[in-house]
């Protein structure tokens, strides 16, 4: 996860532990700190169609997301070329989108207006649970949105673009295709 060593995300705890174990092991390694996947919003398409809304708790925080394919290509480059041992790559895409931006993309995908409904974190958890998301996972998703609001899933580093040799796949292409 981006900025794992200082990330406020609950998801970062496992990443921090893994990085610490690697550092203590003495094994040569490279860290690929993936940002958020645009595919995380694929399920929002059906909700947007049904409700005309994108629900979240991210405020106006920005996401430097990318496609799974982009992250996989970066990993393939690191695995197939020399000179990466001991490096840490912060992998974020070239777009820095807010949830209102994603709502605009969803509007184009569903062919109808979609508004972003920013909710307090505890209320967002209840909305997710009401939609059938298990309670523990609803907490993780809402925590991730709080992290987005705090800037935890945005980066200005261009490591991803440099590794794959092209701009990252736009969110609209991922969500619309």
């Amino acid at each position: 996860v981006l900025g794992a060593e200082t990330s406020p995300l609950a998801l970062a705890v496992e990443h921090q532990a893994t990085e610490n174990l690697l550092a203590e092991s003495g094994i040569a390694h490279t860290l690929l700190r993936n940002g958020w996947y645009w595919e995380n919003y694929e399920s929002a398409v059906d909700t947007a169609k049904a409700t005309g809304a994108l629900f979240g708790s991210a405020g106006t925080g920005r996401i430097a997301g990318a496609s799974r394919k982009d992250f996989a290509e970066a990993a393939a480059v690191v695995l197939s070329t020399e000179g990466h041992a001991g490096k840490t790559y912060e992998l974020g895409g070239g777009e820095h989108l807010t949830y209102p931006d994603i709502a605009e993309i969803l509007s184009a995908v569903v062919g109808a207006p979609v508004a972003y409904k920013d909710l307090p974190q505890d209320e967002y958890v209840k909305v997710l649970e009401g939609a059938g998301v298990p309670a523990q996972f609803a907490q993780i998703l809402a925590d991730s949105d709080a992290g987005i609001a705090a800037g935890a899933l945005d980066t200005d580093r261009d490591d991803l673009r440099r590794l794959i040799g092209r701009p990252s796949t736009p969110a609209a292409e991922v969500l619309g295709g």
Side-chain angles (χ1 to χ4, degrees):
V1 69
L2 289 172
E5 74 280 8
T6 59
S7 177
L9 299 177
L11 290 173
V13 173
E14 293 173 355
H15 295 265
Q16 293 162 349
T18 301
E19 289 187 14
N20 290 338
L21 288 170
L22 283 168
E24 293 167 5
S25 75
I27 297 170
H29 62 277
T30 304
L31 298 176
L32 301 176
R33 292 180 172 167
N34 289 4
W36 217 229
Y37 301 93
W38 290 137
E39 288 87 351
N40 291 347
Y41 299 100
E42 287 177 334
S43 63
V45 173
D46 288 338
T47 301
K49 279 181 190 174
T51 66
L54 169 65
F55 297 94
S57 195
T60 58
R62 296 193 175 278
I63 306 160
S67 72
R68 285 188 172 108
K69 182 177 182 267
D70 295 337
F71 292 126
E73 284 181 32
V77 168
V78 169
L79 288 168
S80 64
T81 60
E82 298 294 322
H84 303 285
K87 293 187 178 178
T88 298
Y89 294 106
E90 300 286 343
L91 301 179
E95 293 179 293
H96 303 270
L97 302 181
T98 63
Y99 273 31
D101 297 329
I102 295 170
E104 285 184 36
I105 292 168
L106 292 172
S107 294
V109 170
V110 303
V114 175
Y116 172 49
K117 304 289 186 187
D118 189 49
L119 304 170
Q121 189 173 343
D122 59 338
E123 190 176 329
Y124 183 43
V125 169
K126 290 176 186 170
V127 167
L128 291 168
E129 289 174 346
V133 176
Q136 188 175 12
F137 190 55
Q139 290 285 342
I140 292 291
L141 292 174
D143 175 79
S144 296
D145 272 18
I148 290 167
L153 291 172
D154 192 21
T155 182
D156 288 328
R157 297 254 310 252
D158 69 345
D159 297 351
L160 180 62
R161 184 196 54 75
R162 286 185 299 106
L163 285 170
I164 65 177
R166 61 172 175 76
S168 58
T169 306
E173 186 176 321
V174 174
L175 297 174

